[in-house]
Amino acid sequence: QVQLVESGGGLVQAGGSLRLSCTASGSIFSINAMAWYRQAPGKQRELVATISSGGSTNYPDSVKGRFIISRDNAKNTVYLQMNSLKPEDTAVYYCNADVRQFSVIMYKTYWGKGTLVTVSS
């Protein structure tokens, strides 16, 4: 099986920065796209950033210019550098990854359990 584990969440003041990490482990042959999502209390989960296996990135306007997604393919890890944080960035942040396991042809999307980011005003 495959597991994704996020880390790096916490409490930060508005204007501050945090760096989230998410590492995939298990029987992994290759990883295609990786992404970060977030879910604030009472709201739907929303996309924060995506990165392809080749390093192409995409962001919604709400975080563009403030958040940076990157990955280390050798470590099966994706990062989210969050700068100029705002109280509205408060949410549980989840990573996901499209993973192909050994002896399996298809890619499957796996999710982490999330890490809480709280931004105080």
Side-chain angles (χ1 to χ4, degrees):
Q1 288 300 322
V2 174
Q3 288 187 325
L4 272 63
V5 178
E6 301 98 337
S7 62
L11 175 64
V12 63
Q13 288 190 332
S17 298
L18 278 178
R19 189 192 194 208
L20 306 183
S21 300
C22 172
T23 299
S25 62
S27 179
I28 297 171
F29 177 76
S30 68
I31 300 177
N32 197 359
M34 305 182 83
W36 286 95
Y37 286 75
R38 67 185 180 188
Q39 187 166 19
K43 295 188 177 181
Q44 290 188 331
R45 191 172 296 190
E46 63 174 352
L47 178 66
V48 174
T50 64
I51 185 166
S52 70
S53 58
S56 297
T57 59
N58 275 293
Y59 308 90
D61 289 342
S62 58
V63 306
K64 194 175 293 183
R66 300 189 298 122
F67 290 10
I68 301 171
I69 188 171
S70 60
R71 63 191 286 173
D72 185 332
N73 292 330
K75 296 181 179 179
N76 290 335
T77 298
V78 62
Y79 305 96
L80 185 68
Q81 177 66 42
M82 303 185 294
N83 302 317
S84 303
L85 282 161
K86 306 174 181 179
E88 51 263 43
D89 294 319
T90 295
V92 177
Y93 284 71
Y94 301 88
C95 69
N96 80 6
D98 293 335
V99 179
R100 178 183 171 187
Q101 293 185 268
F102 289 101
S103 302
V104 177
I105 296 175
M106 301 297 292
Y107 282 85
K108 179 180 176 180
T109 300
Y110 292 88
W111 289 86
K113 294 183 178 180
T115 184
L116 177 63
V117 172
T118 303
V119 183
S120 64
S121 57

